[in-house]
Amino acid sequence: MAVPSPPAAERPAARRGFEPTDRFEERHVGPSEAEVREMLDLLGYASLEALVEATVPESIRLRRPLQLPPARGEHELIDELRALAHRNQVFRSFIGMGYHDCVTPPVIQRNVLENPGWYTAYTPYQAEIAQGRLEALLNFQTMVADLTALPLANASLLDEGTAAAEAMAMCHALDRGQRKVFFVSDGCHPQTIAVVQTRADSLGLEVRVGRAEEADLAAEGAFGLLLQYPTTDGRVRDYAQLAARAHAAQAMVVVATDLLALTLLRPPGEFGADIAVGSSQRFGVPLGFGGPHAAFLSTKDEYKRQIPGRLIGVSRDAEGRPAYRMALQTREQHIRRERATSNICTAQVLLAVMAGMYAVYHGPEGLKRIALRVHALTAALAEALRAAGLDLGREPFFDTLRVRLAPGRAGAVLEAARQRRINLRDFGDGSLGVALDETTTEQEVSLLREAFGAGSGASLEPDAGGIEAPFARTSPFLTHDVFNTHHSEHEMLRYMRMLESRDLSLTTSMIPLGSCTMKLNATSEMVPVSWPEFGELHPFAPADQTKGYAELFAQLEAWLAEITGFAAVSLQPNAGSQGEYAGLLAIGAYHRSRGEEHRRVCLIPVSAHGTNPASAVTAGFKVVVVASDAQGNIDVADLRAKAEAHRADLGALMVTYPSTHGIFEESIREVCEVVHANGGQVYMDGANMNAQVGLTRPGDMGADVCHLNLHKTFCIPHGGGGPGMGPIGVAAHLAPFLPGHPVVHLPGRDTTGAVSAAPWGSASILTIPWVYIALMGPDGLKKATEVAILNANYMAKRLEGHYDVLFAGRNGRVAHEFIVDARPFQKSAGIEVDDIAKRLMDYGFHAPTMSFPVAGTLMIEPTESEPKAELDRFCEAMIAIREEIRAVEEGRAPREDNVLKRAPHTVRAVTADEWGRPYTRQQAAFPAPWVAARKFWPAVARIDNPYGDRNLMCTCPPVSSFE
């Protein structure tokens, strides 16, 4: 074992000549020094420093290096992190509360979780080159719909608590806001109750917690009811009559449930649930100290336009064949903006893929075998404990028991369990909980018996027949062929590889999406995620078992605070949208603490991300839109007028920096001052932090709070649309209002409720930004930002004369991204921005961000990790496409039947016996010299989006449809 490294604060920088040879900066930053020089020459600058001086306003530039530990080599850093990981103790946790240890099938771990072909892909907005992921997500939706017996499921949510909060908001929207009370059963997990309460408070709703069976929902004026099935302490209740009473009171019924239990238990859809929510974590996804895990939400078909999150559907392509796509996108928050009822803009795609693959691998019979074994072991333990005179109650259970002990006995049992390296749940009332799982062994059941003083003999032989009526499931599930075919590892491996081959990811080519920062997710950053010391810890394990995590969190918080210029950081928000929400909650709580709860107006520039207005509404603010000027900057005069007009009620401004138009606005300090002068706080959206690190800091500009997309700037991979992390940094006066947690006490954070189910969100992937920052060091982080700005300006320069770059800042420079205008081509050639996006697929590229923030444009962000050769290939593709458009403009190609309108071109189309198109097969499929050597074939032709919405199908289609 390696000798542990000294703490970073005590480690001197390596002396010249003794630096590590495996310096990460050189591997992360794509262009070589010679290539940097070439690009600077084209732009007319002598150095990166000169380019930065011409681009970043002098008034906000950081005048000192970041105070961070010096960079280490990759090998040294991994050894240091191993020493930190060994400070965590991996006990067997039988705590439950919605988190269970499980077996990640090695074929899924190696080929999905640890495979960059899956984890470096982007959200499947370009469906033709995302068919593999879309099919995997459709499997997930089908799995959830089948197990819950509700016909429509989304493509995952952030965690179970968030899913329950989204369900509450959905119920309220369907009630048209008429009633304000949401009743929550006291049998729900405490963290779920807390997240729901936080959301309700921001929406002006009231959560009443109590015994659901005793509630008079009509008298309470409740619009919805949340139940846990089985309950947090393991009881299986018959909710059919309660659901009928709720419906008689015109209240909707939400059931938080367990997918593995539903292989044996009567599903929620069969006893009256309108919505089912929960976590798919125990379907092969590691505990990870709380995440990331894929939550789910399923509902009735009539609520399809109100369901939050993404929905994958089946449509058809231009050749008439079935094709998958994201359905009903007009209901999503980024389109609805301030009319949104949810701010969810992401999912947990990678984890949903894993859970769906777990169901594919095991099939219905395999899942049922696992569930029967877990239940049989639980029944054996229950019989042994009852034989020893312990009180477990008489209600049915699946995998969780609540053991009521004699007064003063709980402490001794907890200590006996601890001596056996076992964690139990302490209810705090003299009773203890024990929840078994897929990994439980007979030997562990014997150890549990010993801890409870129930002997250690051979396990009793229970009735292994499973659950009895009326609780038993009788309906079939997972009947589709996909869940009944791939049960050998060879079949499973080939199925996953086939799907992977249908997706374009960073393993294929650059993904130049503006505002999304699709940069290198280095292997050294990813490796620790799979270590058991990080992956196998329960989020509510005792603090003395999680000291490694505590140190990692403390270091990461300190580093992010230094990078952003803030006083404190919360790592709890587990998505960028959740970071926005948490930051706005902190602002609202601050105003409330000063007796100014009425400050609920939020100013938002017209160019802001769609999540900004949606988050503001979710956090209880009223949105007032601020105009942009002709150059794409915030119109300061309009801002000043509206800030003064709303002076009495101004709560916040949400601003993105550099702007969504890709420029460093010179007026940012003045903007912050105007808001502060009128009593508001400044929320900075950190989506574009990749242009700030080491050069400027939000806190220094005047921002009060900023969220960080760790899946952008700090290298957590996008995972095809999740996981992400969105921690927030805040100024000192907002620190007391960072999110708290009901189960794990977070000192000094008792004012604001939880925004995520786990206290540190998706904790296991926080190792990724920790490794990135530690490997890069202060100089490497600054260099990355400088090269990101260089790459963007180089590409903008190369595309000059072919496309109009819409916005530029001082000296004609852009930030780390820029917008090119495709609108003129609609008039000159009938070519839409979609046509350019689809044609880029033929060149082997994913399209830039389309029609945001300006309709009919492309926003391009190259990132610092792309080498010059890749930048040049993309520019050459864009220039070649411009020439293809020119051929249409000049009449050399037909306006309605040309290579852009028919793109993308599949191998089926190009190799068909009949061609009949006014351009050659070579031009269609191999339009540039490099394409043949690295050809990526779109799996389907252009997809008919309206057809998919008119004929909505969101579960696996029959195999016959592909014939």
Side-chain angles (χ1 to χ4, degrees), residues 16-88:
R16 189 170 181 80
F18 292 99
E19 301 97 335
T21 56
D22 57 345
R23 293 179 64 241
F24 180 70
E25 175 197 319
E26 298 169 359
R27 306 179 187 209
H28 176 79
V29 175
S32 67
E33 289 301 320
E35 291 171 339
V36 167
R37 179 71 268 150
E38 282 182 58
M39 292 191 282
L40 286 169
D41 286 346
L42 179 69
L43 294 168
Y45 294 97
S47 65
L48 283 171
E49 290 75 14
L51 173 62
V52 167
E53 287 176 6
T55 306
V56 182
E58 190 274 338
S59 64
I60 63 169
R61 286 205 297 271
L62 190 60
R63 298 301 176 189
R64 60 167 178 80
L66 291 171
Q67 302 301 298
L68 298 171
R72 279 89 88 195
E74 290 186 66
H75 181 75
E76 174 193 355
L77 193 279
I78 290 298
D79 281 349
E80 180 182 334
L81 188 55
R82 280 198 185 278
L84 200 61
H86 288 155
R87 298 195 65 197
N88 291 330

Side-chain angles (χ1 to χ4, degrees), residues 42 61 206 213 244 279 302 444 605 618 667 766 856 860 921:
L42 179 69
R61 286 205 297 271
E206 180 184 351
E213 291 81 359
S279 171
E302 55 261 41
E444 288 174 336
T618 301
S667 62
L766 291 173
I860 300 170
R921 299 173 196 257

Side-chain angles (χ1 to χ4, degrees), residues 768-781:
I768 300 168
W770 187 95
V771 173
Y772 172 67
I773 294 169
L775 285 176
M776 292 291 279
D779 295 337
L781 291 171

Side-chain angles (χ1 to χ4, degrees), residues 307-385:
I307 189 170
R310 295 177 185 149
L311 196 62
I312 308 307
V314 183
S315 187
R316 64 185 182 189
D317 72 0
E319 298 168 1
R321 295 180 177 84
Y324 308 117
R325 59 180 283 274
M326 289 170 59
L328 299 178
Q329 290 188 48
T330 55
R331 71 193 162 73
E332 291 190 25
Q333 53 73 31
H334 63 279
I335 304 245
R336 291 177 57 79
R337 297 175 70 86
E338 62 267 22
R339 294 182 295 110
T341 56
S342 166
N343 74 331
I344 292 295
C345 70
T346 188
Q348 299 281 24
V349 170
L350 187 69
L351 300 315
V353 168
M354 290 179 66
M357 291 301 181
Y358 182 91
V360 168
Y361 193 40
H362 288 293
E365 292 307 313
L367 292 178
K368 193 171 181 179
R369 279 196 304 273
I370 293 169
L372 284 168
R373 180 180 177 277
V374 172
H375 180 65
L377 287 169
T378 310
L381 176 61
E383 288 302 313
L385 296 181

Side-chain angles (χ1 to χ4, degrees), residues 361-424:
Y361 193 40
H362 288 293
E365 292 307 313
L367 292 178
K368 193 171 181 179
R369 279 196 304 273
I370 293 169
L372 284 168
R373 180 180 177 277
V374 172
H375 180 65
L377 287 169
T378 310
L381 176 61
E383 288 302 313
L385 296 181
R386 284 187 176 120
L390 296 175
D391 178 13
L392 277 66
R394 284 295 167 189
E395 290 183 277
F397 55 80
F398 168 59
D399 64 357
T400 300
L401 306 171
R402 183 170 187 167
V403 186
R404 293 166 179 81
L405 301 166
R409 176 76 179 135
V413 174
L414 287 170
E415 180 56 30
R418 180 182 176 82
Q419 293 298 321
R420 291 161 176 79
R421 297 182 66 82
I422 285 173
N423 294 323
L424 302 173

Side-chain angles (χ1 to χ4, degrees), residues 728-868:
I728 55 172
V730 296
H733 63 281
L734 294 181
F737 308 106
L738 291 172
H741 199 272
V743 181
V744 177
H745 177 61
L746 304 175
R749 300 183 182 181
D750 301 318
T751 302
T752 304
V755 298
S756 300
W760 291 280
S762 297
S764 66
I765 57 174
L766 291 173
T767 56
I768 300 168
W770 187 95
V771 173
Y772 172 67
I773 294 169
L775 285 176
M776 292 291 279
D779 295 337
L781 291 171
K782 181 182 177 185
K783 176 71 171 292
T785 309
E786 291 171 336
V787 174
I789 293 171
L790 171 66
N791 283 357
N793 279 279
Y794 171 74
M795 291 182 73
K797 184 69 174 178
R798 279 216 58 192
L799 294 177
E800 263 185 19
H802 304 282
Y803 299 87
D804 292 332
V805 175
L806 270 190
F807 304 106
R810 189 165 51 99
N811 301 313
R813 300 277 68 90
V814 299
H816 64 313
E817 61 191 9
F818 61 99
I819 299 172
V820 297
D821 196 356
R823 292 172 296 183
F825 308 138
Q826 200 284 325
K827 182 177 181 181
S828 67
I831 298 298
E832 308 281 354
V833 69
D834 277 17
D835 300 321
I836 298 174
K838 304 310 178 188
R839 182 57 173 156
L840 275 167
M841 297 176 190
D842 291 329
Y843 286 83
F845 289 109
H846 194 292
T849 302
M850 287 198 316
S851 293
F852 174 80
V854 180
T857 65
L858 293 168
M859 181 160 57
I860 300 170
E861 179 180 354
T863 85
E864 73 277 5
S865 61
E866 293 297 345
K868 180 175 178 293

Side-chain angles (χ1 to χ4, degrees), residues 140-208:
F140 176 84
Q141 291 180 178
T142 303
M143 172 190 80
V144 170
D146 275 13
L147 287 170
T148 61
L150 287 163
L152 189 67
N154 66 17
S156 77
L157 291 170
L158 301 175
D159 57 36
E160 183 168 335
T162 306
E166 292 293 331
M168 175 188 67
M170 179 177 163
C171 292
H172 188 241
L174 286 163
D175 191 53
R176 301 188 183 280
Q178 295 180 21
R179 292 171 288 181
K180 297 293 185 182
V181 173
F182 188 66
F183 196 94
V184 177
S185 167
D186 57 9
C188 292
H189 298 313
Q191 70 274 15
T192 299
I193 296 173
V195 173
V196 169
Q197 287 173 325
T198 302
R199 178 71 65 86
D201 183 60
S202 66
L203 294 176
L205 305 178
E206 180 184 351
V207 170
R208 295 181 187 166

